[in-house]
Amino acid sequence: MADQFDNNKDNDQEQKYEKFCFLCRRPESQAGKMIDLPNHIHICADCMQKSFDTMNTQMNNGNYSDLFNMPNVSMIDLSSFQNPGNQAKKIKKKSETPKPVIDLKDIPAPHKIKATLDEYVIGQEYAKKVMSVGVYNHYKRVATDTMDDIEIEKSNMLMIGPTGCGKTYLVKMLARLLQVPLAIADATSLTEAGYIGDDIESVVSKLLAAADNDVEKAEQGIIFIDEIDKIAKKKNTNQRDVSGEAVQQGLLKLLEGSEVEVPVGATSKNAMVPMVTVNTRNILFICGGAFEGLDSVIKKRTESSSLGFGGKVKSKEDDNNVMKRVVPHDLVKFGIVPELVGRLPVITVLDELDEDALCRILTEPKNSLIKQYTKLFKLDNIDFEITEDAKREIAKRTIEEKTGARGLRAIVEKILTKLMFEAPSDDEIVGIKITAECVRGEAEPEITRAVSSTRKK
């Protein structure tokens, strides 16, 4: 009876879990039938073929002695493989009718997308409207695909704005809202194929990894390429521009839509891992950058000389809004090739955050900085309070340092580090108050202590 119970248990385990390749970590449902080796090790046919190809290369180079004439050394040392342990993957139940990744009914309308963004992102009203419409139209195109003979083109986006204004955060919130995989890549690490650095296709590899190596899911995701302005054409150089114009040319086929071969579980094509084909036709590409120096290009185009009787007197407000007058030709003058500009039809300019916007960012969003620290202290039964003057002072310091919204946390951390170290061990502390003098470094935070009883944890 016990043996029968053990057999039933083993059968249940075999039905519950599936084999996965020890090298590429793909389950049997994706890689196909596995080759079983001792110590519960399984290798897929692709990885085994890669190993044989490597050995054939050595044989073709004349290294026969290294392969066959070495006594007491086996071709594959199975003892070097460690037992993978509890990394088995559950078998996915196959549904009778395959459900599309993006359903037209599930795509929220632009006003709903913007309403969700408003809960997390303060300001940038125009940018949120433009991105909501662009994302909505793109995924309508993905969901309908080929319903008739009218083919809708892709609406890739270009976001222009200073550091810390919310470019990356906007994209993250969009991906979370639509529940699609997101890959964030840095354009400065990309180089032309054959040179040190990441190949252009590595951005698709990151998206495939974010989609758990599900090609169908990855083909409908979002790729955000940051620092796109850093790959502008270099002027007055006699060297080969392997990280500038060459990268722009390589991005053209990805943005337009093409089939590219990318490695599974690696970013380098030289790794001994299987390759899969990913079609970028339905992948939404969003590029972002600060584009420092673009304002001078725009001013040269739009403004005449301020000297003489017909000279135009410029105001400070005109200087702040100069980036909003950008046109595609300005980007070409900046150093972006015309072909790449043409593949980024939706251009939106983000505003530089002022003092009022930074104060609102501190308190209003769902996961605002003040709410986070209030919760951290509340877990230790400590009330946390920050005055309005202190918020203004933090915003002023952030503007002076020109770090944008991401600089707010650094300032608050510097003020509270000592308290966050001492408060958990001091049971008498029941309240902490931050004032403007604390931010300026003129005073210590106000601490409220219990009169008679200690704080209960």
Side-chain angles (χ1 to χ4, degrees):
M1 188 72 180
D3 294 340
Q4 184 178 0
F5 176 77
D6 292 337
N7 292 333
N8 292 336
K9 187 177 180 181
D10 293 339
N11 292 334
D12 292 340
Q13 287 294 108
E14 290 178 0
Q15 291 177 1
K16 188 175 180 181
Y17 296 100
E18 62 178 335
K19 302 174 183 178
F20 67 98
C21 179
F22 184 82
L23 296 178
C24 69
R25 293 292 188 264
R26 289 188 303 168
E28 194 171 23
S29 59
Q30 293 183 8
K33 188 170 178 59
M34 297 287 176
I35 300 171
D36 299 329
L37 299 177
N39 296 331
H40 304 287
I41 295 172
H42 313 287
I43 307 292
C44 68
D46 293 334
C47 292
M48 186 63 74
Q49 186 62 45
K50 288 269 187 181
S51 302
F52 288 146
D53 292 342
T54 303
M55 288 188 289
N56 287 334
T57 303
Q58 294 181 359
M59 292 173 62
N60 293 333
N61 293 335
N63 297 330
Y64 297 99
S65 58
D66 295 340
L67 290 173
F68 300 109
N69 296 333
M70 296 177 64
N72 300 325
V73 177
S74 60
M75 186 84 66
I76 300 176
D77 186 10
L78 296 177
S79 63
S80 63
F81 289 104
Q82 299 295 327
N83 193 344
N86 297 326
Q87 295 184 9
K89 209 166 186 177
K90 290 187 177 181
I91 301 176
K92 296 180 181 179
K93 294 182 180 179
K94 295 182 179 179
S95 57
E96 297 179 357
T97 56
K99 184 181 178 181
V101 179
I102 300 293
D103 191 356
L104 187 60
K105 297 179 181 178
D106 297 334
I107 304 174
H111 70 280
K112 293 183 179 179
I113 296 176
K114 184 183 178 299
T116 305
L117 292 177
D118 288 338
E119 296 178 358
Y120 295 93
V121 182
I122 299 300
Q124 313 297 0
E125 296 298 320
Y126 177 72
K128 286 187 287 190
K129 288 180 180 179
V130 172
M131 295 192 69
S132 300
V133 173
V135 168
Y136 178 68
N137 288 338
H138 173 77
Y139 281 103
K140 273 199 304 184
R141 168 185 179 270
V142 173
T144 55
D145 201 10
T146 55
M147 291 180 62
D148 49 33
D149 56 348
I150 300 176
E151 184 177 353
I152 305 174
E153 294 185 357
K154 284 175 67 173
S155 299
N156 297 320
M157 304 183 195
L158 176 63
M159 303 171 66
I160 302 174
T163 179
C165 66
K167 298 187 293 293
T168 307
Y169 196 62
L170 268 171
V171 179
K172 285 183 179 179
M173 289 300 107
L174 281 174
R176 183 188 299 181
L177 171 62
L178 298 168
Q179 296 181 351
V180 295
L182 168 67
I184 299 177
D186 195 340
T188 55
S189 64
L190 302 177
T191 57
E192 188 180 358
Y195 290 85
I196 296 176
D198 293 337
D199 291 341
I200 291 99
E201 289 82 3
S202 65
V203 298
V204 184
S205 300
K206 292 180 180 179
L207 182 64
L208 186 63
D212 296 329
N213 294 332
D214 188 340
V215 177
E216 184 182 357
K217 191 175 180 182
E219 287 179 346
Q220 298 177 353
I222 298 175
I223 294 179
F224 178 61
I225 304 177
D226 202 3
E227 306 291 349
I228 196 71
D229 56 317
K230 303 301 187 294
I231 60 171
K233 288 194 295 184
K234 295 178 176 59
K235 300 175 182 178
N236 302 326
T237 178
N238 296 325
Q239 299 177 351
R240 184 173 179 84
D241 194 4
V242 299
S243 60
E245 185 179 0
V247 176
Q248 295 187 47
Q249 297 292 343
L251 286 172
L252 295 179
K253 63 175 183 177
L254 294 183
L255 270 64
E256 183 70 21
S258 62
E259 292 186 352
V260 293
E261 284 193 351
V262 294
V264 178
T267 57
S268 175
K269 290 185 177 180
N270 297 325
M272 289 182 56
V273 294
M275 306 284 287
V276 294
T277 303
V278 178
N279 194 331
T280 64
R281 179 175 174 270
N282 291 329
I283 296 176
L284 178 62
F285 285 86
I286 302 176
C287 301
F291 286 88
E292 294 183 5
L294 181 62
D295 52 349
S296 60
V297 177
I298 300 172
K299 288 178 182 178
K300 190 179 292 186
R301 174 181 58 85
T302 57
E303 296 178 0
S304 59
S305 175
S306 59
L307 299 176
F309 294 103
K312 181 181 177 182
V313 179
K314 295 181 293 181
S315 63
K316 189 175 181 180
E317 185 178 356
D318 293 335
D319 290 337
N320 293 335
N321 295 328
V322 66
M323 294 291 283
K324 293 185 178 180
R325 300 199 292 269
V326 64
V327 295
H329 182 69
D330 297 330
L331 298 173
V332 176
K333 286 283 187 181
F334 183 81
I336 307 298
V337 295
E339 296 87 353
L340 186 60
V341 174
R343 285 165 174 80
L344 297 169
V346 181
I347 300 175
T348 176
V349 179
L350 280 75
D351 301 320
E352 189 170 2
L353 299 174
D354 56 8
E355 187 177 317
D356 293 333
L358 289 170
C359 288
R360 293 177 60 198
I361 290 172
L362 278 171
T363 54
E364 290 186 16
K366 268 190 174 182
N367 56 343
S368 67
L369 202 59
I370 302 301
K371 292 177 183 177
Q372 293 178 36
Y373 282 102
T374 303
K375 184 176 181 180
L376 285 173
F377 282 110
K378 198 67 178 177
L379 294 174
D380 290 327
N381 295 321
I382 299 175
D383 295 328
F384 177 71
E385 182 185 355
I386 182 168
T387 64
E388 291 296 328
D389 292 338
K391 296 174 189 175
R392 289 279 171 187
E393 197 65 32
I394 293 173
K396 288 178 182 177
R397 286 191 58 185
T398 306
I399 293 174
E400 290 174 2
E401 297 174 2
K402 296 181 179 180
T403 53
R406 60 169 56 93
L408 295 171
R409 190 179 190 95
I411 296 173
V412 178
E413 280 281 347
K414 188 175 181 180
I415 299 169
L416 296 176
T417 298
K418 183 179 177 181
L419 275 174
M420 289 190 292
F421 178 78
E422 297 175 351
S425 59
D426 192 343
D427 294 339
E428 294 183 357
I429 298 178
V430 294
I432 295 173
K433 184 178 180 180
I434 303 298
T435 61
E437 290 77 12
C438 301
V439 181
R440 290 194 293 265
E442 300 171 356
E444 293 292 327
E446 298 179 6
I447 298 176
T448 305
R449 296 183 178 273
V451 179
S452 57
S453 58
T454 58
R455 185 176 79 236
K456 292 183 179 180
K457 286 194 175 182

